Amino acid sequence: MRSSPGCWAAYGELLAREYGDPAFMRFHPLTVDAYALQHPGGDDPQSISSVHVHLASLVAYFDRGAPLHSLSDIRKDVVKRKASFERLVPPPSLGNVVVSDVLPAVDAAEHGVLVERWARSVYRAWSAHHKEVVSS
């Protein structure tokens, strides 16, 4: 993923918080999806696959009500079709909430609210491609 050093450091801090506390870790699937989609990479096969997989995960969560604990399995199923993926052109804005907006959370409940807000912002930003990943 291409990101600035500051953004990567903020993501690392957020990951440390999630891995260090099961209550925070519950929201990890959305954290990974949001960060990956805000750093979509280029035209290489790995970047193309990453966008499809993480967007399909958010679509499953927000559109179909998939539980958080199922998102990893959804990603695994989607990646099986990676040979058929075409590049999805990133939207002009990748969302108005970013990783640093989640860091001020004081407890797991607030963390969950902020991570979901972030993920929803990213999900909405990529709305033009929702149907493409659902049918992938």
Side-chain angles (χ1 to χ4, degrees):
M1 287 184 235
R2 298 175 188 159
S3 66
S4 70
C7 189
W8 184 249
Y11 183 56
E13 185 178 338
L14 191 61
L15 292 180
R17 182 180 297 167
E18 289 180 346
Y19 281 107
D21 186 330
F24 283 78
M25 187 64 172
R26 177 173 178 261
F27 303 98
H28 182 69
L30 296 179
T31 296
V32 172
D33 291 336
Y35 193 83
L37 288 166
Q38 284 189 325
H39 301 84
D43 294 337
D44 60 286
Q46 184 174 351
S47 294
I48 292 168
S49 178
S50 176
V51 167
H52 276 267
V53 166
H54 292 290
L55 186 54
S57 177
L58 290 185
V59 168
Y61 181 75
F62 288 114
D63 286 357
R64 297 195 301 271
L68 286 170
H69 65 81
S70 73
L71 298 185
S72 178
D73 289 336
I74 289 167
R75 284 191 221 101
K76 287 177 190 174
D77 287 342
V78 172
V79 80
K80 291 175 187 175
R81 298 187 301 269
K82 68 182 179 183
S84 68
F85 296 160
E86 293 185 18
R87 182 173 186 266
L88 302 177
V89 177
S93 167
L94 296 169
N96 60 358
V97 181
V98 296
V99 64
S100 60
D101 294 325
V102 179
L103 289 175
V106 296
D107 58 27
E110 184 180 12
H111 176 77
V113 168
L114 295 176
V115 169
E116 188 162 319
R117 182 178 300 146
W118 177 30
R120 185 176 299 279
S121 169
V122 173
Y123 159 83
R124 286 181 179 147
W126 284 87
S127 64
H129 296 298
H130 289 182
K131 290 182 181 175
E132 291 170 80
V133 298
V134 171
S135 62
S136 299

